[in-house]
Amino acid sequence: MSTAPVKRTSIPNVAAESRAAFAAWVDAHPDGRHFGQVLIRPESSGGYRLCHAEDEGATGLQLYENPRAAREIAKLTGDGEYRPLKSAPNLRRGWALLAADAGDLVTAMNGLYPSAVVHWYLYREGSLDITNYRENAARQSGIYKRVQRLTDQGVQNAAKACCEDAVCLKKTLWDVDEEIPLEMNRGEGEIPCPEPCSVFVSFARRVRLFERENKRDLDAIGLSPSEKEDLSALVEAAATGEVVMAREAEFEKPLNERRMRYRRLTLIPKLRPPVANE
Amino acid sequence: MKALVIVGHGSHLNEDSSLPVYEHAERIRQTGEYDEVVECFWKEEPSMRHVLDMVESDDVYVVPAFISEGYFTQQVIPRELGLAGPITHKGDKTIRYAGPLGTYEGMADVILERTDDLMRGKETSGRTALVLLGHGTDLNKNSSGVIYWNAGRIRERGVYDLVEVGFLDQEPEIGEVVTSVEAENVILIPVFIAEGWHTRETIPEDLGLSGEVTEREDRTIFYGAPVGPHPSMAALISARAREMEEKFVHGAR
């Protein structure tokens, strides 16, 4: 094994530095700071109060005082669905968490948005290492090795489907490679995304399987087997009056939101070819 | 300062997959042995790629919450954490990477504790076989090796009339072992890290188990919880890290 290249060594203890910087950033705004879907407000006692941004001023919130409770808060949506991606815009409401000091604040933030504080800090300092898609794909192995063959257009569509603010509040900083920037709307949130995450890699694998299928298996009107599977599932579900979506990272199932977002980009143009302007 | 980093597999679909890692981390945190105890995962956040930036300590011990030596412990974890071997220096940090849990000498004790938990208050007569259930895969012989190794350790202690192994994805197939082992009582313990799809659904379904105790015509099958979530695994994780410390820190003096 060789040591992986370490590009950044200028900040000796980023964890400690980021804790102090984040607390100072919050302290500078007595009215509170928004971070992801969370509102963080410095308390006169020296601690911090966190709640869902939409619960600002709400009463009857369930109060937590252990910063590690944040992980439990972030685990399930309001509907009880598991949240595999903590930066998805589906943080549940109805809670408030009191953090005694900067250490507890960062522990709580790492429960709500794991590693977001340190990435926020490194990004502000201009020291955040960015890993582009091709670089990330190159080190994948096993069942994920095939993501290396995803086309540039496939990466573009997968990022639009998987990473825009409608499904992930991180600000996407990586590109396809050094030459080809992402075309997606990268988002304006506070949490930087320096590298394709495991949910994205898993989605990219699914999109690569769609791509492979496109080459060989199109029918007379140009639809692939999986496109027809998705259309059938949609018709059947809608006919019952209720479309029950697949789980957030269940990309093998037709009615997955990100999968449908990908279809909107790639299938809709096939079904509704753009009308040429006269 | 000294930190323990526990690496789990995690899941995009199963919310319970990472639970044992979080529970063991909290148990170890309570002992005060480490200044920091941090969790990271392959499929969940924080990812292995970013966890070291979240650690303030200079002395970092990494313990994989995996049963066997193999693809994850030898390839994925070192690659994602950027480790060069058992010891890696990164900036001011020294990172010591321990082996997986299943090959550690204390593992047999945890399996036996799990067995005791299951059999407490249950009366048996006749011969009793302990069957260790592993996932197994034809792709990596270490996956089954660790199950055989633990079975051997337990067999040496002579607590049970028979100690056998069975697998989901390789020979000997678990259903066959449970049916053919020559004992009136068959204690089945999954040597898995977490509760999940296999332990809750596929195994009971494939073996026709009706819960903790299943009566068949010629035998009673006792089905235990997986080993990984057992509270004693926390001590095993600590011991794994301590072993690295003794070997490379104190031993080096």
Side-chain angles (χ1 to χ4, degrees), chain A residues 82 86 139 141 144 198, chain B residues 11-12 43 45 71 79-80:
Chain A
Y82 173 51
K86 300 297 180 266
R139 65 165 209 272
S141 57
Y144 296 107
S198 79
Chain B
S11 167
H12 291 160
K43 293 279 204 145
E45 305 159 281
Y71 175 60
R79 180 187 77 203
E80 297 295 300

Side-chain angles (χ1 to χ4, degrees), chain B residues 8 16 22 28 39 59 68 79 129 146 150 171 173 181 241 247 249 253:
Chain B
D16 294 332
Y22 283 110
I28 297 167
E39 311 88 347
D59 283 325
S68 56
R79 180 187 77 203
V146 68
N150 279 291
E171 298 292 327
E173 191 267 321
V181 64
K247 194 163 151 190
V249 182
R253 280 175 191 165

Side-chain angles (χ1 to χ4, degrees), chain A residues 172-232:
Chain A
T172 312
L173 299 176
W174 46 272
D175 290 306
V176 179
D177 59 28
E178 283 180 10
E179 320 270 280
I180 307 170
L182 284 182
E183 297 157 356
M184 66 175 282
N185 186 342
R186 292 172 186 269
E188 293 306 319
E190 290 287 352
I191 311 172
C193 174
E195 170 166 11
C197 67
S198 79
V199 169
F200 184 83
V201 173
S202 172
F203 187 68
R205 177 176 179 273
R206 188 23 56 199
V207 171
R208 176 59 199 154
L209 292 168
F210 292 152
E211 279 188 343
R212 270 171 54 108
E213 180 185 56
N214 275 340
K215 282 187 185 162
R216 306 183 295 216
D217 312 322
L218 302 191
D219 70 4
I221 57 166
L223 295 181
S224 70
S226 72
E227 285 173 334
K228 286 188 278 194
E229 184 192 354
D230 287 12
L231 287 170
S232 305

Side-chain angles (χ1 to χ4, degrees), chain B:
Chain B
M1 281 172 71
K2 194 165 88 169
L4 174 67
V5 174
I6 307 176
V7 184
H9 188 286
S11 167
H12 291 160
L13 300 175
N14 171 10
E15 69 202 54
D16 294 332
S17 166
S18 56
L19 190 64
V21 168
Y22 283 110
E23 287 181 343
H24 297 325
E26 189 53 34
R27 287 183 187 108
I28 297 167
R29 216 170 268 134
Q30 297 301 329
T31 68
E33 191 177 343
Y34 295 90
D35 298 293
E36 298 172 276
V37 181
V38 185
E39 311 88 347
C40 70
F41 302 92
W42 168 232
K43 293 279 204 145
E44 292 180 32
E45 305 159 281
S47 76
M48 288 181 258
R49 286 284 284 174
H50 303 131
V51 74
L52 292 176
D53 277 342
M54 298 166 67
V55 173
E56 297 189 19
S57 306
D58 289 339
D59 283 325
V60 183
Y61 295 85
V62 176
V63 177
F66 284 76
I67 295 290
S68 56
E69 195 77 79
Y71 175 60
F72 280 100
T73 61
Q74 290 172 334
Q75 193 174 335
V76 176
I77 296 172
R79 180 187 77 203
E80 297 295 300
L81 281 169
L83 303 182
I87 300 182
T88 305
H89 297 283
K90 278 194 172 199
D92 293 335
K93 284 187 171 60
T94 301
I95 301 142
R96 298 178 181 86
Y97 179 46
L101 303 175
T103 52
Y104 194 58
E105 56 182 330
M107 186 66 177
D109 295 305
V110 182
I111 295 172
L112 288 172
E113 280 185 59
R114 198 43 125 190
T115 312
D116 289 345
D117 292 346
L118 172 66
M119 299 308 288
R120 195 163 296 128
K122 295 187 177 73
E123 288 191 13
T124 57
S125 62
R127 285 157 62 86
T128 299
L130 172 64
V131 178
L132 301 187
L133 167 56
H135 190 288
T137 165
D138 289 334
L139 300 175
N140 187 328
K141 67 177 190 302
N142 290 330
S143 171
S144 60
V146 68
I147 309 296
Y148 280 105
W149 186 77
N150 279 291
R153 300 291 299 261
I154 296 172
R155 202 174 286 130
E156 283 167 13
R157 301 187 192 195
V159 185
Y160 296 100
D161 298 308
L162 289 163
V163 182
E164 300 294 339
V165 301
F167 299 97
L168 300 184
D169 274 6
Q170 71 178 66
E171 298 292 327
E173 191 267 321
I174 187 64
E176 186 66 27
V177 175
V178 166
T179 306
S180 63
V181 64
E182 290 180 8
E184 287 77 37
N185 308 291
V186 179
I187 303 172
L188 184 58
I189 302 288
V191 186
F192 283 55
I193 278 292
E195 283 279 14
W197 185 55
H198 283 309
T199 59
R200 289 210 187 100
E201 293 178 42
T202 67
I203 297 165
E205 212 173 280
D206 293 351
L207 302 184
L209 304 180
S210 47
E212 226 176 54
V213 183
T214 304
E215 299 284 354
R216 285 194 189 170
E217 214 166 274
D218 61 339
R219 62 195 58 215
T220 307
I221 301 165
F222 301 89
Y223 180 49
V227 174
H230 195 284
S232 296
M233 288 296 273
L236 202 69
I237 292 170
S238 293
R240 248 319 189 199
R242 212 174 297 124
E243 180 190 53
M244 289 300 282
E245 188 171 359
E246 280 157 12
K247 194 163 151 190
F248 291 106
V249 182
H250 305 306
R253 280 175 191 165

